[in-house]
Amino acid sequence: MEKKNKVTMSDIAREAGVSQATVSLILNNSRSVKLSEETRQRVFNTALSLGYKKMPAPHNDNGQEEIALLINAMPGYDPFVDALSEAREAAWRQNTLLTVYDYGDDAELAVRIISQLNQRRCVGIIIASPVTQAIDFSPFVNQTALPVVLLNVYDRTYPLLPTFLPDDRANALQITRHLIDQGATRIAHIMGDNWMEACEKRLEGYREALTQAGMTPDDRLVQATNWSLNETYRATLQLMDQPEPPDAIFCSSDWMTIGCYQALTELHLRIPQDILIAGYDDQRIADQMTPKLTSVQLPYNELGRMAVEYLCSGEDAATRVIMAGKLKVRASTAAI
């Protein structure tokens, strides 16, 4: 079958008789350079006739509506930044601006922000957190007639609230399954704080994968920590000091694996020759560690985009999206 060529800005420029830079400015609705309306229309018509797939919505010169994203803390690590970036891009494609407010987990401040948003051209509100967690939505009830969605947070008391979450259980299951497929028979799990439901879901996924493979979960191979490197370092030493130490360790975040690597280096154990290591959330450090770390990429790009598109489409149906991420296999679990 002949492969269909992808239409590029160069194709549009050649057909319309303008430069590629001109095409880029017009298709991105830039007004930074003065171009005639005839040129703009010719480029748009050419793009449409060639079947260009990335046509943006026209942006109003007199200002856009906005979508407000209220976050309870600005992310101090990489993955959730992807949700913000994709939400911003999705909003702009919908001729809408995304504004981000850090309310510092202060409900009173969030209510004041919402009160201001009620007086503006706001399409809707996204309440979010960089950490998957339960929140108390009750302070926000009856504070606005604007549609509200939750991103990476949830409140089971309000099941009709549109909610977009990563699937911690499924993600942990696929990581553990991968370690089993690589030949590991004693897989340890180093958790974060065990009071966090996200950690409990990861523990559930880990145990379910073992059970499905005919392995009996062993509580001696599970260590709870406070997410810190020191705690992970200590937990790793305790695991490796057992009469039957693990041949693989699944850590509840990529950050934690730094402490795990340190402990194994001190014990003169090689990764992956002597023990397999996997992380969680595919932070940028995963690709910079030695050896590079196998992890699961959380679907924050997709969730951020869907939250914005839900508001822009004017949907009013109860929606709960729980999405699994993508396993990124690297050298820390490579078969030898």
Side-chain angles (χ1 to χ4, degrees), residues 273-290:
Q273 292 90 336
D274 300 320
I275 186 167
L276 307 180
I277 304 297
Y280 189 97
D281 61 28
D282 199 39
Q283 297 185 35
R284 291 195 177 121
I285 59 169
D287 200 44
Q288 298 170 7
M289 297 176 70
T290 305

Side-chain angles (χ1 to χ4, degrees), residues 52 57 62-63 66 78 108 114 123 160 162 231 234 272 290 296 318:
Y52 187 65
N62 60 349
E66 69 173 302
D78 295 333
E108 182 180 353
I114 290 171
V123 175
L160 300 183
E231 283 282 301
R234 175 197 58 77
T290 305
V296 65

Side-chain angles (χ1 to χ4, degrees), residues 188-193 199 202 221-242 246 248-267 269 271 275-281 283 285 289 293:
H189 178 42
I190 301 180
M191 303 172 58
D193 288 309
C199 287
R202 292 171 204 181
L221 293 176
V222 176
Q223 293 275 333
T225 72
N226 62 0
W227 300 102
S228 73
L229 301 189
N230 288 340
E231 283 282 301
T232 307
Y233 169 86
R234 175 197 58 77
T236 303
L237 292 179
Q238 289 185 359
L239 287 167
M240 302 313 298
D241 193 44
Q242 293 185 14
I249 299 177
F250 159 37
C251 292
S252 225
S253 82
D254 291 350
W255 173 253
M256 295 167 69
T257 61
I258 297 174
C260 184
Y261 272 45
Q262 289 173 340
L264 295 173
T265 298
E266 184 176 298
L267 295 172
L269 293 172
I271 307 168
I275 186 167
L276 307 180
I277 304 297
Y280 189 97
D281 61 28
Q283 297 185 35
I285 59 169
M289 297 176 70
L293 179 67

Side-chain angles (χ1 to χ4, degrees), residues 28-135:
N28 285 292
N29 287 310
S30 173
R31 298 284 173 172
S32 60
V33 177
K34 189 171 179 62
L35 297 168
S36 72
E37 199 56 40
E38 185 275 332
T39 300
R40 290 182 182 276
Q41 198 58 52
R42 186 167 78 253
V43 168
F44 273 116
N45 290 341
T46 302
L48 286 170
S49 67
L50 292 177
Y52 187 65
K53 301 297 185 184
K54 298 182 179 179
M55 294 293 290
H59 295 126
N60 300 324
D61 289 336
N62 60 349
Q64 284 78 34
E65 295 176 319
E66 69 173 302
I67 289 174
L69 187 148
L70 275 65
I71 189 167
N72 63 357
M74 290 303 290
Y77 64 99
D78 295 333
F80 192 72
V81 174
D82 295 338
L84 301 184
S85 297
E86 189 60 34
R88 181 199 67 226
E89 299 264 342
W92 186 236
R93 287 194 297 269
Q94 300 282 343
N95 191 28
T96 307
L97 301 177
L98 180 77
T99 52
V100 179
Y101 301 83
D102 180 0
Y103 71 95
D105 215 16
D106 182 337
E108 182 180 353
L109 175 57
V111 167
R112 286 176 182 252
I113 293 169
I114 290 171
S115 176
Q116 292 292 315
L117 294 171
N118 288 333
Q119 303 171 45
R120 302 220 294 267
R121 298 181 63 201
C122 188
V123 175
I125 297 169
I126 301 172
I127 296 178
S129 168
V131 178
T132 309
Q133 62 179 304
I135 62 165

